[in-house]
Amino acid sequence: MKLLNLLSWPYVRKHKLRTLLTLAGIVLGVAVFTGMHTANLTMQSAFQRTVDRIAGKAQLQVSAGETGFPEDVLERVQSLREVSAAAPVIEAALATPQGTLLVLGVDMTGDSSLREYNLEGDDEDVIDDPLIFLAQPDSMIVSKQFAARSGLGRGSKLALKTMGGQKTFIVRGVMKATGLATVFGGNLAIMDIYAAQAVFGRGRLFDRIDVGLSEGVSVREGAAKLQALLGPGFQVEQPQSRGAHFESMARGLTVSINLASLFALLIGVFIIYNSFSIAITQRRGEIGVLRALGASRGQVRGLFLLESVVLGVAGSLLGVAAGLALARGVVPGLAATLQDVFGHAVSASDITISPPLAAFSVFIGVMASLVGGYIPARSAASVDPVKALQKGRNQVLSEGENRWRRRAALICIALSAALIGFGDANAYFYPGYLSGIASLILLSPSMAMWLARALRPVLKTVWPVEGALAADSLIQAPRRTSATVTALMLSLALAVGFAGVSRGIYDSLIEWMRHTLNPDLYVSPSRSITAKTFRFPASMAGELRSLEGVEEVQPVRNARVMIGGEPVMAVSLDIGAIARRVRVKPVEGDRDEMVRLASEGQGVIISDNLSLMRGIHRGDILEIPSPRGLLKLPVLGSSVDYSDQQGSFLIDSKLFQRYWGDDTANLFRIHVKTGYSREKVRQRILKKWSGSHEIFVYTNEGIRDYILNLTGQWFGLTYIQLAVALIVAILGIVNTLTVSITDRRRELGVLQAVGGLRNQVRRTIWLEAVSIGVVGLVMGAGAGLVMIYFNLHMLHRDLGGLRLDFTVPYAFMAAMTPVVILCSFISALWPAESAVRASLVESLEYE
Amino acid sequence: MSKWIAFLLASCALGQDPRQIVEEVQRRNRSTSQRYEGTLTVTSAKSRVTQKRWRYERMGSFGDSKAALRFLEPPEVKGVALLVHNHRDRSSDQWMWTPELQRDRRIALQDRSTRFFGTDFSFEDLEERDAGQFDYKLLGEEKLDGQMCWKLESRPRQTKRSQYTHSYLWVRQDLYVYVMVEGYKDQELLRRIAYRDYENVKGLWTARLLEVLDTKRRSRTTMKLEKLEYGVPMKDEDFTLQALRRPL
């Protein structure tokens, strides 16, 4: 501690900027980790909180995936002796100027046995007149918060978009801002469930039944009895299980957050490593004196490790604070993305701060700092007091050191190849992945050196003096350069890796859309095609068919069902009719046979990603829970289908209607007659239903753009992390250049003393920075290609079951080149100015 | 004289058996059908008053009857109807019809404890209580509203789901009619129903005014029976869900 005070503290005070830059490396790494995980956690806990508060006293919930189920199920549930209360529920999310409003359709004649509606005022009446509330379908109860935001009170009118177009509701009650009313950030409204069925086009279906159990009946016993009564077509679960389903849906997001966080931290490690290596180089005289005075190697090593711990703690604490701020910024976008991609409305008015996550973030920040500081600390301990005053020696990486790294890298490459080649299990793949990344890191000093040497003649040809000096600086001080280059390489590899994957996904999506999304128009009841709030009645298909210019109408009903405990998208359509228009080459199975049998209801066609993720193949029996019982259907084959990240299956609409009792539609695919204007037909549809229905008519291009935008929105979250990773790497360049200038103060002084112009000095530093950028770019591009390979495998096996082609993101790489070079150049501006403004006398006296 | 003595002896004998008292109440109130128009006045704890009118029709008698209740006023609830099928051995089946929605809904057994459409009655209070569904205990005799009454305790049998753990019934000794019923949950009084203004209509003593007090909410509902008739011809098909859908 004394040494820390005597030696480290004065150094920190003298090199405030560098300390700050080092700190920034940790701060940003930890901030990305904390921020993205907090945002993810916030979404999950907001969803769970909503579920819990809505569930009220319900101990169990009965559902049939997202499909809903016929009303008669309620009577069956209520008839069970073990059930003390069973209340049907419909949930819907409506867009309002005050944000998304969660509308809960409940049966007020008995719902209060499960939920408490604390109404405004002392009157215990839930509503002015419960009979009027039930008798009038325009009745609504709103939360106090929503009422305040919208300027509503009892008796106020509230205009909302419904299946039947814009409708005016009457506020017949205002709930106190506690308990249930706090759900969804207070944007909650309650209406009668039977009115909700009509308003949201749900037919005679309920979304779920909340169940309270009789006294003395355990949850396990109640669930078993209900499951036995209802059969395997229903899920009987505790409310908290819905959070797990949501989590499983957003798994892809969690994995990408973990990956980007890991890289951000890894990049941070290199920044710390770089800073400490530089500090040790600069303080080797000090270390030599310390050693000469009798300090042991262990004491010196301990001092530097302690420094890294102190820095790690400070940086991690700041990182956690910055991460929480980042989470606050990210959460609204994340909520919108989850709503758009999965059709699940989640409202998180504030972030969820998890003390264990914060503690873990500090822990990994400190560990990253320790890991980054370990090698420099070890090399500080090995400083020979005699050689301590010899300058420049420690900057050189010995050939032996490099050789050892190259050998280790080769071993890692071999190990990686062996592991990946050995088996397909995660136990082989992920260690293989890590070995591959380790080999890149180990090879980076050598590669940086080779590339710097290769750059030297080019630089020298263009700028004989400055170019040669800049290149020499990199070549002669590899320890200073290599960590920065590695950090840059890693951040660029991450970016290229993601870009490659996103390019692959875009290309595959475009190809899939080209084959399958070929109708001229799409009619949707919501702006978002993934939203499940509204559904069209079956009768609308006939009305659409009767419109002039409409050749064919194909209704589509999709909803997630639970297969093997995980949600899978059921896509119900007239398979025969679709197959006449869509010609997709199957991945497994014979197309004609698949179509024939599926349209006869003798099987299902599964998506390729479902096949890959669950290991389901042609000939297997898919057990699909439905309200009418377990539907066991053979898998007729598989084809590429991007309907859902968790996988999907096509089922003929006749079979779906029979088993789910649901003939509503989420979407109509419309083919326009030849010779008719698509736009005119579109206008005709809009005109016919405007005023009576909420309706959105997309053109073919419109729907494709919508899907691509949705994909872009998904990747947008990743880009934030990439940007932070890049900022960390750029900080590394600034750090390196600052040190480089300090190290070469004398050299630069001499250059000026012998007549070198200030511009030449500036240019030397600029060139050095740009060279680091170029070297990092080349290495990052190479490493990025390796990343694409691994990412594609990860997507294929664990995330979306996507079978994507290896695509080099040339456009992205081309766009990144000037960005990185420009960033490198900008990062050199201040160090260059500081170098030319340094006193010549002081510079010549330096060292 | 002997006739008088015989009646007194019979009364004493009945008075000893609480079940027989209740059965006699039901026997004396038996009619093939009943129809009335009721005016419901709900006065909240804050003295806010709301009023509704309904028409009530019942066919059959205790434990085996069917009843239909249709709201006449205010205009927002006109046509809303409740159908009740009472059973001797189990709780009644109840359905509600809402004309604006053109939908019927079943009122679940669990929901019978909830208030009957904003009044102080619960759905359960509208059920006819067959004597066989309860155990009775004679607690003594009390004078209420100037009339000698038997005070009975009734407890629902296991098969019966009720919001009340027990109730106290006051039965007028001269007319065999209820004067007051108190429903308890454990030691807590939930609801008190007072029967007033008894009038003999076609040989049946009928309370023309019912007053319900919800002790928790401190609100009060009075129901006034008007246009009361007994023995009106009615058909089974008038007590179906289809019949409820007919406009008033």
Side-chain angles (χ1 to χ4, degrees), chain A residues 71 74-75 78-87 106-113 121-132 134-137 154 172 192-198 203-204 214, chain B residues 42 44-46 48 50-52 71 73-78 80 95-119 123 161 185 216-219 245:
Chain A
E71 288 172 6
L74 177 65
E75 278 187 45
Q78 285 170 336
S79 69
L80 208 64
R81 191 183 57 81
E82 285 76 10
V83 170
S84 70
V106 296
D107 185 355
M108 291 298 273
T109 58
D111 202 77
S112 54
S113 48
D122 295 332
D123 196 342
E124 282 184 17
D125 280 345
V126 170
I127 19 200
D128 268 348
D129 191 325
L131 187 58
I132 295 179
L134 291 175
Q136 296 297 320
R154 278 192 184 191
R172 300 197 196 270
D192 179 49
I193 191 162
Y194 299 98
Q197 283 178 332
R204 290 203 153 201
S214 303
Chain B
V42 182
S44 75
K46 286 189 163 179
R48 192 159 47 86
T50 53
Q51 219 169 43
K52 288 186 190 76
F71 285 90
E73 283 174 29
E76 296 98 313
V77 301
K78 191 176 176 184
V80 174
W95 296 268
M96 181 190 178
W97 167 254
T98 41
E100 284 285 332
L101 270 169
Q102 289 289 299
R103 281 296 311 264
D104 55 71
R105 71 182 76 197
R106 197 172 187 279
I107 310 286
L109 199 60
Q110 74 205 15
D111 304 336
R112 308 288 166 85
S113 61
T114 51
R115 296 169 64 206
F116 176 67
F117 303 139
T119 68
F123 282 91
R161 293 195 200 191
K185 185 170 187 188
K216 257 174 119 178
R217 295 162 34 81
R218 290 174 290 117
S219 64
R245 291 172 189 164

Side-chain angles (χ1 to χ4, degrees), chain A residues 93 100 184 334-346 528 530-531:
Chain A
T100 305
F184 222 69
L334 190 57
T337 302
L338 289 177
Q339 184 165 354
D340 287 344
V341 174
F342 299 116
H344 278 273
V346 187
S528 157
T530 56

